Amino acid sequence: MTENVHAYIDGANLHNAIKQLAWDFDYARFRVWLKDKYKVSRAYMFLGLIPEYTALYTKLQEQGYTLVLKPVTYDKDGKPKGNCDADLVVKVMRDAYENNCDKIVLVSSDGDYASLVDFLLEKNKMRILLSPSAPQKCSLLLKRTGVPIAYVCDQQSVLQKIKGRPPIRTESYKGSTRSDEGILP
């Protein structure tokens, strides 16, 4: 029997970490890689909703991500804050509790998820943690859980966007249109 594997991606954590890379990250390749390498059938990406990025959201959905969007607030400097961490934890816990998936791939380097990882390990639901950050920048709290960790930065040959290289696709993805979960229609 094939396991039903879901990925839960902290979109801000992934975005901020890949800005540090010295190469262009390809989100389409990442989605296909998740499917091929970890058998991810559904990849939830949690993001702050900023109206001027609707074209980006549409593109991510076309690439196979299920977006979970949350309205942003702005700090005193005008920087947007999505604060999606709690939403990601609730979705993972709900899916684990309701047995909506067999295994979970978490994409983040944020130590705030350490207690979630501990719970998932205890329930034998955790497949792997994919850290977008370099090993020295991945939270020590996550490392202490004993979860298997792979580093996105080690996958440059697979995930780098190269001009003229055709996109990889194993199938045509369709994003979710469920607005009842805060997912972009």
Side-chain angles (χ1 to χ4, degrees):
M1 184 171 99
T2 304
E3 285 184 320
N4 184 19
V5 181
H6 290 182
Y8 300 84
I9 303 164
D10 180 333
N13 190 269
L14 175 61
H15 174 75
N16 290 331
I18 63 176
K19 282 193 314 188
Q20 307 297 316
L21 299 175
W23 46 276
D24 289 330
F25 184 82
D26 190 326
Y27 281 91
R29 285 185 169 278
F30 184 57
R31 178 61 186 101
V32 173
W33 182 75
L34 287 171
K35 182 180 186 307
D36 292 347
K37 177 84 173 168
Y38 297 106
K39 309 301 181 217
V40 170
S41 60
R42 190 139 205 196
Y44 293 97
M45 185 175 297
F46 293 78
L47 294 166
L49 175 60
I50 301 174
E52 56 264 28
Y53 294 145
T54 55
L56 170 65
Y57 304 144
T58 300
K59 185 174 183 179
L60 288 169
Q61 282 183 307
E62 290 169 353
Q63 293 171 342
Y65 296 95
T66 300
L67 301 184
V68 182
L69 301 169
K70 182 175 182 176
V72 299
T73 57
Y74 294 88
D75 67 14
K76 61 181 166 83
D77 298 322
K79 182 179 175 188
K81 301 293 275 181
N83 296 320
C84 296
D85 293 10
D87 297 84
L88 186 149
V89 170
V90 169
K91 179 67 175 150
V92 170
M93 294 296 285
R94 173 178 279 155
D95 286 351
Y97 177 76
E98 295 175 355
N99 287 316
N100 292 333
C101 60
D102 300 313
K103 293 290 183 178
I104 290 168
V105 173
L106 179 62
V107 181
S108 183
S109 300
D110 188 339
D112 289 344
Y113 295 118
S115 58
L116 174 65
V117 169
D118 280 334
F119 170 80
L120 294 171
L121 288 168
E122 178 184 315
K123 298 299 181 188
N124 196 29
K125 289 281 192 178
M126 192 75 195
R127 161 80 34 93
I128 194 163
L129 174 80
L130 296 177
S131 172
S133 299
Q136 65 273 18
K137 293 193 176 191
C138 181
S139 171
L140 183 58
L141 295 172
L142 289 171
K143 292 176 182 177
R144 286 181 180 164
T145 66
V147 68
I149 300 174
Y151 296 94
V152 173
C153 61
D154 293 340
Q155 300 301 318
Q156 181 176 357
S157 64
V158 176
L159 301 176
Q160 182 174 12
K161 189 182 292 185
I162 298 175
K163 189 175 182 174
R165 178 161 76 173
I168 58 172
R169 289 223 180 246
T170 57
E171 66 179 78
S172 177
Y173 290 107
K174 293 186 178 171
S176 174
T177 59
R178 293 186 57 193
S179 59
D180 60 326
E181 289 186 34
I183 300 169
L184 181 67

